[in-house]
Amino acid sequence: MHAVEVEGLCRSFGRQVALHGVSFRVRRGERFAVLGANGAGKSTLLRILAGLLRQDSGRVMVAGVDVAAEPIEAKRRLGMVAHDPWLYGELTAEENLRFYAGIYGLPESRVGELLEEVGLAEHAHRLVATFSKGMKQRLSIARALLHQPEVLLLDEPTSGLDARGRAWLRRQLEELSARGTAMLIATHHPAEAMACVRGILLEAGRVVARGSPEELLAALAGEGE
Amino acid sequence: MRLRAVLWIARKDLLVELRSRHTLSFMLLFSTLSVVFFSRVAGAYVGTTPGIAPGYLWLVFLFTGMLGTGRAFLREKEANTLDALRAMPVSAAEILTGKAVYNFLLLFGVQCVVFPVFLVFMDIQVKGSLLLAFAVLSLSNLSFVVLSSAVSALVLGARAREVLLPVLLMPLLFPLLVLSVSALNRVLTGGAGVLAIESELRLLLAYTGVSSVIALLTSEAALQE
């Protein structure tokens, strides 16, 4: 069974086609890049996978669960790190994670574990509004990993991170990969795609290339010429 | 429906509100100012025609409620955290119910402060049970928050949502206001007991039930992107 299976996915917004016949499969523990320029359809693809948006046609399976047919069950198996950190500025780091853990029905000890894991244990009682962009991104990753999802969706995960933050994130992704978590990383940065094993190149909602990061970059360079 | 998820959402909203106090302080300020305003403008008429007092009381709560309860979803939208709720394994009905519970507590808190202030400022000679009058207010409050939470979710994607909310909500609230004002009038100025207002209470309960069913049935569409 694949961690993610996408078949013939189509989605339009009015007359504008955001995704057209997108198909791919992601194996367990694999880091999979969704490379493309702004407006290529990356975020739409991730939002459909996360159950935030309905597809017009096509099928999306996450860990063997059809996202459209069983959205709640699929969401249990998914974690998402979006553009925005999805955190409440008026709450502390611990309160934020405790809220999400409460919804998932997880024990409180999991919150402490995650804060320790992302290096924010000493800032647990600080309001998130006072956090730097990098700290928010770490906390956002902790939020997405609370329930130990089988599939992690990351939308431009290094945006706003400094070099140290990017190195930390790369180590985290490698560790998660080793633990068997499949990852879909939507990015327009070729360097981020290089951290993946395989991927697809999206252009105007269509898959124009697929394969290793090197193959994707070659296709990207070919487009630019 | 999972009660745990509903309570976590309501608890989180209360915590955020108690930290920021933006909505609660504006609701209290607005309602107290309205009571003072009405007591100056219409206090003399209430003395001669006490039956109009519950109508004024409901005018205060109506506008205060619309001012405050619409904020629950709007705040999530502004902070980009609505997607976080939708990406979790919770149904739209659970999110809506969580928001309605929070709105109920918010409006209940305002009523606890404003109701006695209203009785004093309007110089109302209460003939019936204050407890029963407050129970009628709370039951009406329940119906009000169900409808206002549902409609505020429905208009979330609209451009002029702040204007749209009262326009859509007012006709829906009309039966509730008529029943509640009638019951309050009979208790406060007529000295009626629970048996005397049984028909109003039954209708209020039925209205709350029907509103809740419609709100839950439309929640999925309302929170869909």
Side-chain angles (χ1 to χ4, degrees), chain A residues 8 17 20 23 37 58 65 72 83 93 102 112 124 133 139 153 163 185 196 198 201 203 206 208 217 225:
Chain A
V17 177
H20 185 81
S23 300
V65 178
I72 303 275
H83 269 302
K133 169 89 182 168
L139 192 58
L153 309 173
I185 305 172
C196 297
R198 286 187 311 130
L201 175 62
E203 193 190 302
R206 291 167 193 269
V208 293
L217 294 184
E225 283 168 10

Side-chain angles (χ1 to χ4, degrees), chain B residues 201-225:
Chain B
L201 291 178
R202 279 177 190 274
L203 284 168
L204 269 175
L205 274 172
Y207 189 72
T208 308
V210 172
S211 308
S212 304
V213 170
I214 294 171
L216 293 178
L217 288 175
T218 55
S219 61
E220 195 66 50
L223 292 175
Q224 190 93 53
E225 191 170 311

Side-chain angles (χ1 to χ4, degrees), chain A residues 102-181:
Chain A
I103 296 268
Y104 283 104
L106 302 169
E108 292 227 353
S109 58
R110 182 79 186 127
V111 172
E113 278 171 34
L114 254 298
L115 283 171
E116 197 74 49
E117 208 170 297
V118 298
L120 289 173
E122 60 190 84
H123 303 286
H125 303 294
R126 256 179 71 185
L127 292 182
V128 167
T130 66
F131 277 19
S132 68
K133 169 89 182 168
M135 288 166 84
K136 282 181 186 169
Q137 189 72 333
R138 282 172 186 239
L139 192 58
S140 178
I141 290 167
R143 174 193 53 72
L145 295 176
L146 265 174
H147 58 296
Q148 296 173 306
E150 291 170 61
V151 178
L152 186 62
L153 309 173
L154 300 111
D155 196 357
E156 310 281 1
T158 59
S159 66
L161 288 183
D162 57 16
R164 211 170 134 203
R166 285 199 296 272
W168 173 85
L169 182 64
R170 195 171 173 146
R171 282 197 305 277
Q172 287 289 312
L173 298 186
E174 280 165 9
E175 272 179 37
L176 284 170
S177 200
R179 282 188 228 162
T181 309

Side-chain angles (χ1 to χ4, degrees), chain A residues 52-88:
Chain A
L52 295 173
L53 198 62
R54 286 267 173 96
Q55 67 264 41
D56 295 333
S57 61
R59 198 173 67 134
V60 178
M61 304 283 284
V62 169
V65 178
D66 190 323
V67 176
E70 294 175 85
I72 303 275
E73 202 47 52
K75 285 171 186 176
R76 278 186 213 287
R77 291 146 200 258
L78 271 170
M80 185 168 181
V81 179
H83 269 302
D84 295 298
W86 290 356
L87 299 167
Y88 296 91

Side-chain angles (χ1 to χ4, degrees), chain B residues 19-74:
Chain B
R19 286 272 159 76
S20 67
R21 294 202 189 106
H22 289 156
T23 311
L24 189 62
S25 51
F26 277 116
M27 285 172 83
L28 281 171
L29 189 66
F30 177 83
S31 52
T32 312
L33 281 173
S34 302
V35 169
V36 173
F37 176 80
F38 282 136
S39 73
R40 294 295 299 163
V41 172
Y45 300 108
V46 173
T48 54
T49 324
I52 60 171
Y56 281 124
L57 180 63
W58 254 111
L59 270 180
V60 173
F61 288 139
L62 176 70
F63 290 112
T64 307
M66 282 196 290
L67 189 77
T69 55
R71 289 286 308 155
F73 275 111
L74 203 57

Side-chain angles (χ1 to χ4, degrees), chain A residues 47 52 75 88 90 95, chain B residues 19 76 80 83 86 225:
Chain A
R47 291 179 74 76
L52 295 173
K75 285 171 186 176
Y88 296 91
E90 297 89 345
E95 285 165 346
Chain B
R19 286 272 159 76
E76 300 275 4
N80 292 317
D83 277 346
R86 294 174 58 229
E225 191 170 311

